[in-house]
Amino acid sequence: MLRVSKGATLRYPQPGGPDERRHRFEELYAANCGPILGYVLRRTDNPDDAADVIAETFLTAWRRLDAVPPGDEARLWLYGVARRVLANYRRGERRRAVLADRLRAELSAGYRPAQYTGELAEFAAAFRSLAEADREVLALVGWEGLDRGQAAAALGCSRNALRIRLHRARRRLADACARHQVTSPSEPVSVTNGESA
Amino acid sequence: MNQIQRIAPISDADAARLVSDTALADLAGQITMTPAGPATAKRAPRARRRRWWLAGIPAAAAAAALIAAVVVAHTGGPGGAGSTGGTVQLRPDAHALAFTRVGRYIDVIVRDPLADEASYNAEFKAHGLDITLSLVPASPSLVGTVVEISTSGPDENSITTITAKGRCWTGGGGSECPVGLRVPVGFRGQASLVFGRAARPGEQYESTTSASAPGEVMHGLNYVGKRVSTVLAMLARRHVTVPTYRDDGRALTPRQVPGTWYVYDAVPWAPQQVLLFVGPVPSHAYGAARPAPSPSPSG
């Protein structure tokens, strides 16, 4: 039976010696639970869903530990899994996993969706009006701070495809801003192709 | 990109501050306990821990302590693997809730777990209580357990749970289930409670646990690391189907999943339906390369 006390690192009774797989997961989890928590909470206002998405994302990592790339790429891989799990929830899936109970309780108690006022509220509305795919590519760069190569890895597309998607998303954001009558973010964009389709 | 940064709903650092180390460690611990295969049945602590934290929620919230509760009826118990959602006895002519005055308290028991929310709320209101109650479809082992609670107001610490042994079977070992709540006479706070109820045929669960927990449809099956075709054959014998799969979070239909793929995990989806987590390679932990478990020195 696992016992964990506040502030303690995870300890497991392992008479058989170090369990490499578990150890590897713990490292992955420790390094990425903050970023994944942030990623998910930035994309859903529902703390219950957030807890379940986070739990399922890391469960997937645990089940597919061999598929998780090493180093910083692990975070990008986890973003990709979290994105797909979130998409399932947006399609109406609701699965309150018991293992996320505690996380769910704390998130429900503490999380309050961000509120914006004035022009920022209009800008946020314009951003939210974009298609999911456009928002995601903009958010990976703007919120997670990924460079283009990293964003491409998280989305599972080529760098060139990413560049085009980013450019189009920014253009649609500018259009949406115009509709919402807010100033669009000035963005130096240089894209030379991909505008026709 | 500045403006997009400015509408980031929350930073990683702030997100991390929302949850305790304990909650994070708890999740990691539960996840790493999942590869259990045949040992799954030993995951008894779950249900207990669940209730335990229910008692602790308010501490995180800002105050309160609380509740848990209800639904008198029940799953088929550990032998209920073949049961469908029809285990709850409906009492259409009865009140949805039963109120009994016991000294300075009122004991409330849910008698009709499929009544609509308005009925419950009206009955609470008729008794002068600002309590709302709703029920969500839950997989068999979670029927009758608390899915969600929140309370506020002057008397928020004063509602307690009534439990009973053997009334239901929760998550692999807990048989002492919340069956009702005890409210002090003159309770002035607010409470909202969500309980798991049995699902109707075809109705998707909103609260689930492992598909191999006692009382669930895959209890006792050794399916982890097996090929999809093998597991489907096991499930067919129990009249269980798989409407949807997950591959690294990607939703797949049955037609998209080759029978030669491997099953990593399963969760209840709806009565007689489960969702399978699958992938093209045997997981390291479960595959053929897995070292045989050696007996622990301590036995």
Side-chain angles (χ1 to χ4, degrees):
Chain A
M1 167 73 203
L2 176 72
R3 299 253 177 234
V4 183
S5 58
K6 170 94 176 158
T9 52
L10 294 175
R11 276 179 300 137
Y12 301 89
Q14 285 287 305
D19 178 336
E20 269 190 35
R21 186 168 197 273
R22 183 167 286 173
H23 184 65
R24 199 181 152 216
F25 176 81
E26 285 175 30
E27 286 187 340
L28 176 78
Y29 184 84
N32 293 290
C33 62
I36 295 303
L37 199 59
Y39 175 95
V40 175
L41 284 174
R42 285 188 285 273
R43 284 160 179 78
T44 174
D45 277 349
N46 184 329
D48 292 344
D49 285 357
D52 289 306
V53 170
I54 291 159
E56 187 165 333
T57 299
F58 280 106
L59 253 177
T60 298
W62 170 243
R63 295 179 186 118
R64 299 294 313 278
L65 206 51
D66 295 345
V68 183
D72 187 53
E73 284 180 38
R75 180 170 56 106
L76 308 178
W77 186 90
L78 288 165
Y79 284 154
V81 173
R83 171 172 52 82
R84 293 189 286 268
V85 174
L86 265 171
N88 297 337
Y89 274 72
R90 290 200 184 96
R91 284 195 293 267
E93 189 169 300
R94 288 288 176 279
R95 202 140 27 78
R96 299 279 172 257
V98 174
L99 55 80
D101 277 352
R102 192 160 183 163
L103 186 62
R104 186 179 308 121
E106 294 194 1
L107 286 179
S108 295
Y111 181 65
R112 295 292 171 270
Q115 302 284 342
Y116 307 103
T117 54
E119 178 141 315
L120 209 53
E122 287 300 315
F123 178 74
F127 181 78
R128 282 195 300 269
S129 75
L130 296 179
E132 174 59 37
D134 285 343
R135 261 183 292 152
E136 181 64 12
V137 68
L138 291 169
L140 283 173
V141 175
W143 294 352
E144 275 74 44
L146 303 189
D147 63 30
R148 292 178 184 192
Q150 291 172 318
L155 289 169
C157 66
S158 70
R159 292 172 71 107
N160 197 45
L162 187 280
R163 195 166 55 87
I164 294 164
R165 283 175 67 169
L166 189 57
H167 176 74
R168 289 179 178 167
R170 283 173 175 160
R171 200 185 53 198
R172 290 187 196 109
L173 177 60
D175 291 346
C177 285
R179 282 197 301 279
H180 286 260
Q181 301 182 328
V182 288
T183 318
S184 63
S186 53
E187 202 61 54
V189 178
S190 58
V191 169
T192 55
N193 62 354
E195 286 308 288
S196 54
Chain B
M1 201 50 65
N2 250 345
Q3 209 151 357
I4 291 179
Q5 273 172 5
R6 289 177 62 203
I7 59 163
I10 190 169
S11 67
D12 286 355
D14 286 341
R17 274 193 281 276
L18 286 177
V19 298
S20 65
D21 291 350
T22 313
L24 290 173
D26 182 73
L27 176 59
Q30 299 229 29
I31 287 173
T32 53
M33 279 195 284
T34 59
T40 301
K42 294 179 181 165
R43 254 184 272 158
R46 284 187 166 195
R48 187 169 294 278
R49 183 178 316 174
R50 174 185 179 82
R51 280 215 308 283
W52 177 82
W53 88 211
L54 280 164
I57 284 183
L66 238 283
I67 327 185
V70 196
V71 171
V72 182
H74 338 340
T75 66
S83 67
T84 62
T87 54
V88 172
Q89 300 300 310
L90 296 182
R91 302 181 45 147
D93 297 328
H95 286 291
L97 302 172
F99 293 80
T100 310
R101 176 81 182 253
V102 181
R104 294 165 43 235
Y105 298 93
I106 298 170
D107 285 354
V108 186
I109 304 288
V110 174
R111 302 183 71 166
D112 178 2
L114 293 180
D116 58 31
E117 292 179 23
S119 306
Y120 300 128
N121 299 345
E123 291 187 33
F124 276 120
K125 197 171 177 185
H127 285 77
L129 297 169
D130 187 2
I131 295 176
T132 59
L133 188 158
S134 57
L135 292 137
V136 296
S139 61
S141 69
L142 297 178
V143 169
T145 63
V146 177
V147 175
E148 220 173 283
I149 59 171
S150 57
T151 59
S152 60
D155 297 327
E156 61 187 350
N157 291 314
S158 57
I159 296 180
T160 54
T161 312
I162 302 168
T163 58
K165 281 199 171 176
R167 301 299 286 274
C168 68
W169 188 267
T170 55
S175 61
E176 186 164 316
C177 297
V179 295
L181 65 152
R182 172 163 286 187
V183 187
V185 170
F187 174 76
R188 288 169 296 128
Q190 291 110 34
S192 71
L193 313 165
V194 181
F195 308 125
R197 64 162 168 79
R200 302 176 181 95
E203 184 180 31
Q204 195 183 323
Y205 299 134
E206 289 189 27
S207 185
T208 64
T209 181
S210 166
S212 46
E216 302 291 349
V217 292
M218 293 179 75
H219 180 52
L221 290 184
N222 182 13
Y223 62 90
V224 176
K226 297 271 196 303
R227 289 188 187 272
V228 169
S229 55
T230 308
V231 175
L232 288 178
M234 291 178 188
L235 293 176
R237 285 194 284 276
R238 293 190 177 194
H239 308 290
V240 174
T241 58
V242 184
T244 180
Y245 293 79
R246 292 291 179 275
D247 168 28
D248 289 352
R250 189 179 287 109
L252 297 177
T253 65
R255 297 175 66 112
Q256 293 173 296
V257 178
T260 52
W261 277 23
Y262 296 87
V263 177
Y264 305 139
D265 203 352
V267 296
W269 179 261
Q272 297 306 113
Q273 295 185 330
V274 296
L275 175 156
L276 296 181
F277 292 87
V278 298
V281 295
S283 167
H284 172 77
Y286 320 122
R290 179 175 60 169
S294 53
S296 129
S298 59

